[in-house]
């Protein structure tokens, strides 16, 4: 699951973490006019959930920072599904380019 990790922070509570700036697509994201920080990755996650699996939206919360993306909650399966949606984008420049273009075409704004 690199560069992400899913941790149990306390019994029954989980966090999906991604260190922003540690992905293979960081330079591409910058070239597309965005800062590859935790807030950008929250936008990626929100757009993916909306487009791919809207039922996930209420099953966890977000708490990004400049240097880290974080989604958290008690539903481990939902966070695992989110990780599966995000993981390809951390290393596949073509997929990231397509996602950013699709988001911008819909008027979606990344909060980066």
């Amino acid at each position: 699951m690199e560069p992400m990790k899913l941790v149990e922070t306390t019994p029954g509570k989980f966090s999906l973490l991604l260190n922003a700036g540690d992905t293979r697509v960081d330079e591409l994201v910058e070239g597309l006019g965005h800062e590859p920080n935790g807030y950008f990755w929250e936008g990626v996650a929100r757009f993916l959930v909306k487009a791919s699996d809207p039922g996930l939206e209420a099953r966890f919360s977000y708490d990004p920072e400049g240097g880290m993306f974080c989604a958290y909650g008690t539903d481990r399966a939902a966070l695992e599904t989110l990780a599966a949606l995000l993981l390809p984008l951390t290393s596949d420049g073509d997929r990231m380019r397509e996602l950013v273009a699709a988001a911008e075409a819909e008027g979606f704004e990344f909060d980066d």
Side-chain angles (χ1 to χ4, degrees), residues 1-29:
M1 187 184 317
E2 282 293 322
M4 292 183 289
K5 60 184 165 184
L6 182 61
V7 296
E8 188 170 18
T9 55
T10 59
K13 294 183 181 179
F14 304 91
S15 291
L16 177 64
L17 306 171
L18 169 68
N19 285 329
D22 286 348
T23 73
R24 290 190 229 161
V25 296
D26 292 339
E27 287 183 33
L28 170 73
V29 169

Side-chain angles (χ1 to χ4, degrees), residues 3-4 16-26 29 34-49 62 64-71 82-83 85-92 95-96 99-100 108 110-112:
M4 292 183 289
L16 177 64
L17 306 171
L18 169 68
N19 285 329
D22 286 348
T23 73
R24 290 190 229 161
V25 296
D26 292 339
V29 169
H34 297 282
E35 182 69 34
N37 59 29
Y39 303 105
F40 171 79
W41 282 102
E42 177 188 1
V44 170
R46 287 185 184 276
F47 186 78
L48 279 173
V49 167
Y62 298 100
E65 297 177 4
M68 179 184 67
F69 166 78
C70 176
L82 177 61
L85 290 171
L86 286 170
L87 187 59
L89 292 161
T90 64
S91 62
D92 188 331
R95 282 188 172 181
M96 179 58 79
L99 178 127
V100 170
F108 183 88
F110 296 95
D111 185 21
D112 57 335

Side-chain angles (χ1 to χ4, degrees), residues 63-79:
D63 187 21
E65 297 177 4
M68 179 184 67
F69 166 78
C70 176
Y72 67 95
T74 58
D75 190 337
R76 181 184 180 105
L79 292 168

